[in-house]
Amino acid sequence: MGIFGRKNETTAATAVATLPVDPALAALTGDYTIDPAHSSIGFTVRHAMVTNVRGTFAEHEGTLSLDGANPAASTASIDVKIASIDTGIADRDGHLRSGDFFDAEQFPLMTFRSTEAARLGGDTYRITGDLTIKDVTRPLSIDLEFNGAATDVYGNERVGFEGSAEILRSDWGLKWNAALETGGVMVSDKVKLTFDISAIKNAA
């Protein structure tokens, strides 16, 4: 069962007759709110050329709009509070919030607004949209796996997705670095973003 339709898959046959909508897919149609208590937005970046530093953003909110009749029209919107960054080291987190990196005081939010959805195959999809960091907006594609839908013990209808994307932080103005005596730099330009999303269907 899929959520997002494959782009540009029209054929002569489908142009003549509209294929019936999968009832299970149609049942997912609606607006959803991301559940921050059961979701995670994180990142991984190479440090000193030899190891990885991982972190998360503890505070975020967002919505999904799923369209079972026209899955490619589904959308996603996420706001992330930069000050909630957490790598497990207070001094490092303070540096990341500073003007050297995110400048959280002046630019408190990182946002993503989807513009397109396409099926890659099976339950794997690609969501493309605009990622804004420090007032710089650039396109970003996120590859996601649809993990399914379920009703939890409280009666909430949930859907789940997990996925990732890679960016060059310098494209969004995050250029601070320091040269190492042995060659290379302290912080890699490439950053892997990770998303583990659980969303609850809004009441009708």
Side-chain angles (χ1 to χ4, degrees):
M1 179 177 63
I3 292 292
F4 303 103
R6 186 185 298 275
K7 185 181 179 184
N8 296 330
E9 283 196 340
T10 353
T11 64
T14 58
V16 174
T18 301
L19 295 177
V21 176
D22 181 344
L25 176 59
L28 300 180
T29 296
D31 295 327
Y32 293 74
T33 298
I34 292 175
D35 177 8
H38 297 94
S39 301
S40 175
I41 297 176
F43 60 90
T44 303
V45 62
R46 181 75 73 178
H47 177 261
M49 309 294 291
V50 296
T51 190
N52 289 319
V53 168
R54 293 176 173 83
T56 60
F57 295 94
E59 297 181 40
H60 51 83
E61 60 184 20
T63 59
L64 307 176
S65 180
L66 304 183
D67 188 335
N70 180 21
S74 299
T75 61
S77 173
I78 301 174
D79 292 342
V80 177
K81 188 175 180 181
I82 295 297
S84 71
I85 196 167
D86 182 6
T87 65
I89 303 294
D91 286 347
R92 179 166 60 208
D93 295 343
H95 191 199
L96 290 170
R97 295 184 190 107
S98 76
D100 283 346
F101 286 95
F102 287 104
D103 196 356
E105 185 173 346
Q106 184 174 355
F107 306 103
L109 291 179
M110 172 173 63
T111 66
F112 177 78
R113 302 290 184 266
S114 68
T115 57
E116 183 181 325
R119 182 184 177 194
L120 300 182
D123 283 336
T124 304
Y125 304 88
R126 177 165 294 156
I127 306 302
T128 299
D130 295 324
L131 177 67
T132 300
I133 304 173
K134 297 180 72 172
D135 276 359
V136 177
T137 300
R138 296 180 61 90
L140 174 69
S141 292
I142 305 170
D143 288 348
L144 293 167
E145 182 176 353
F146 175 52
N147 288 337
T151 301
D152 67 22
V153 295
Y154 302 105
N156 297 312
E157 297 180 56
R158 291 181 178 267
V159 291
F161 299 88
E162 61 180 316
S164 63
E166 288 189 350
I167 66 171
L168 298 179
R169 60 188 178 89
S170 60
D171 287 344
W172 280 267
L174 304 175
K175 298 181 179 181
W176 183 91
N177 228 321
L180 302 174
E181 291 184 4
T182 53
V185 292
M186 182 69 74
V187 185
S188 68
D189 193 19
K190 184 170 70 175
V191 179
K192 181 180 181 180
L193 303 175
T194 56
F195 304 86
D196 199 341
I197 302 297
S198 178
I200 298 173
K201 194 173 188 178
N202 299 343

